[in-house]
Amino acid sequence: MQISIAPDGKPVKETLILLVCLITCPSKHPSYPRHGNLHSREFTAGSPIKTLFASSLTHWCRKGSLRTTGAIRISFGIHIPSLHCLLFSPYYLFTLIMAPEASSNKGYTFINPEIFISDKAKEIVNDLLQKAEKRNPDAFDMYIYNDYYPYAIHNLIESVLITIKSKVAKKDWKETFYTIEALTFFFEFESVWTTCDDGELTQATNKLYGALLLETLKGLQSSGTLSSKSFANLESVLRTAYTFGENMKDIGCKSDYMSPCKAVANALFKETAVADQALYEARLREYAEGIKDVEEKKSFLEDVDEYVNAAKEEKTIWYTKGKIGKSEIKTTGLTRAWSDYKGRAPGVPFRGPPEWDLTKWSEKDKSPFSFDNMDDELM
């Protein structure tokens, strides 16, 4: 057996261990001869050999032992003369060895390389964005008052927070997660609500969001379903929530949910970081392959390459930075957060009809606020 690691040709102990597992595997499976040859055609999806090799590979990826950046060339000269594998980066290790089903995106999709979202949450986000657009005076060439749009989005967020709270009360943790996931990603696209002139409302909104997020994570912990097996994009949701908390801290909003998000992610993913990163890239490229428009596909792949390169340059993963707290969530502060928030957001606009959705305003209602009918000094 000959092992070489391109470009420097140095042998890797962990790779040798993997190959030993591969070679010794046939004796444990009646479908393979004890000392027979293993041909490449037998190295197929679902075969005992592939299953063992994949599980061994995953184990070493999780231990962080496979970190080669060049191509790994493995050839066999004694027991397995006809099998020749060409393996590349961790991404190719997954796509060539672990088969497409390991990186299946069923039930999930990408909005961009950083947002891996469930189909259910995406549907909610799209609905929220459409409703937000209908509340934006600029889209209708109107000016109503300075903070009309921020308060209109606050009203929209309030409806989602109430929905999440009702799901929490029912302990419907799976559906609750999809809704809090949607709100988390919605914040990535719409942040104007944080600019309203009522700073206490913004603080209370952030506090309630965090409490509901923690209540959801706590519920999933108690039901034993807080894992990437239940939610394939769990790390992405936790990372986005953590980053959102950082941004809110920058504008003076206390974000107590940041530490638990990091602790939960650290407990769940620190041992599988290398494998998870490879799987995430595999999912990205699998999604890209499904894009039919040539230019859109090219643009997305460029974004993927940029994202992957940036991730490789990061010396530490977000959930391993700084002090790590306990991952078990015991208190969430939901009761106090709801008390502080309830009734703060305006129910109707301060000017115009009592309706935030501008598509429901008549032309007569819109006329006084139209750019065409306003004095230049008021614009």
Side-chain angles (χ1 to χ4, degrees), residues 245-257:
E246 284 187 318
N247 294 335
M248 294 304 288
K249 280 181 64 178
D250 289 341
I251 61 172
C253 293
K254 192 176 181 181
S255 302
D256 291 335
Y257 52 89

Side-chain angles (χ1 to χ4, degrees), residues 20 23 36 42 48 65-66 81-82 103 134 155 234 250 287 291 298-299 302 310 316 328 337 356:
V20 169
I23 293 170
E42 295 172 313
S65 301
L66 288 179
S82 61
S103 61
K134 293 177 180 179
N155 177 262
L234 179 57
D250 289 341
Y287 171 80
I291 300 176
K298 179 181 177 182
S299 176
E302 289 175 353
T316 54
E328 183 182 2
W356 294 106

Side-chain angles (χ1 to χ4, degrees), residues 126-338:
N126 285 339
D127 180 62
L128 290 173
L129 291 174
Q130 290 172 10
K131 289 179 178 177
E133 183 67 14
K134 293 177 180 179
R135 297 168 180 233
N136 186 356
D138 287 344
F140 297 86
D141 294 329
M142 295 169 61
Y143 172 81
I144 303 171
Y145 53 87
N146 280 345
D147 286 340
Y148 179 92
Y149 191 39
Y151 281 116
I153 300 303
H154 262 292
N155 177 262
L156 193 58
I157 292 171
E158 180 183 34
S159 66
V160 182
L161 292 173
I162 291 173
T163 298
I164 296 171
K165 188 173 182 296
S166 67
K167 291 180 183 294
V168 165
K170 296 176 183 177
K171 300 187 184 301
D172 187 358
W173 301 121
K174 194 167 187 178
E175 291 302 317
T176 303
F177 181 84
Y178 290 134
T179 312
I180 198 82
E181 172 197 352
L183 187 58
T184 301
F185 288 131
F186 175 70
F187 289 157
E188 288 291 291
F189 297 97
E190 189 54 85
S191 60
V192 68
W193 60 276
T194 65
T195 66
C196 77
D197 57 9
D198 186 349
E200 291 184 355
L201 171 59
T202 298
Q203 290 176 341
T205 302
N206 181 58
K207 184 177 180 179
L208 180 58
Y209 160 76
L212 288 169
L213 174 62
L214 294 183
E215 194 72 31
T216 304
L217 297 177
K218 179 185 176 185
L220 291 170
Q221 282 183 337
S222 64
S223 64
T225 53
L226 184 60
S227 69
S228 56
K229 288 184 179 180
S230 299
F231 307 99
N233 67 334
L234 179 57
E235 189 274 340
S236 182
V237 175
L238 292 172
R239 170 168 39 85
T240 305
Y242 181 86
T243 303
F244 173 71
E246 284 187 318
N247 294 335
M248 294 304 288
K249 280 181 64 178
D250 289 341
I251 61 172
C253 293
K254 192 176 181 181
S255 302
D256 291 335
Y257 52 89
M258 289 177 60
S259 180
C261 282
K262 183 168 71 171
V264 168
N266 185 270
L268 291 175
F269 306 118
K270 66 179 179 181
E271 296 297 330
T272 61
V274 176
D276 291 341
Q277 185 176 357
L279 181 57
Y280 192 84
E281 184 181 348
R283 283 175 164 149
L284 275 170
R285 298 192 184 280
E286 180 182 316
Y287 171 80
E289 287 303 314
I291 300 176
K292 295 181 179 180
D293 184 89
V294 176
E295 290 302 317
E296 182 183 350
K297 182 176 182 178
K298 179 181 177 182
S299 176
F300 188 84
L301 283 172
E302 289 175 353
D303 291 341
V304 169
D305 290 337
E306 183 178 344
Y307 172 82
V308 170
N309 290 333
K312 289 179 180 178
E313 291 176 1
E314 284 285 333
K315 294 182 179 180
T316 54
I317 302 174
W318 69 273
Y319 52 75
T320 64
K321 296 178 180 178
K323 183 179 179 181
I324 309 298
K326 294 182 179 180
S327 60
E328 183 182 2
I329 300 173
K330 294 184 178 181
T331 59
T332 64
L334 178 56
T335 302
R336 178 63 183 272
W338 175 249

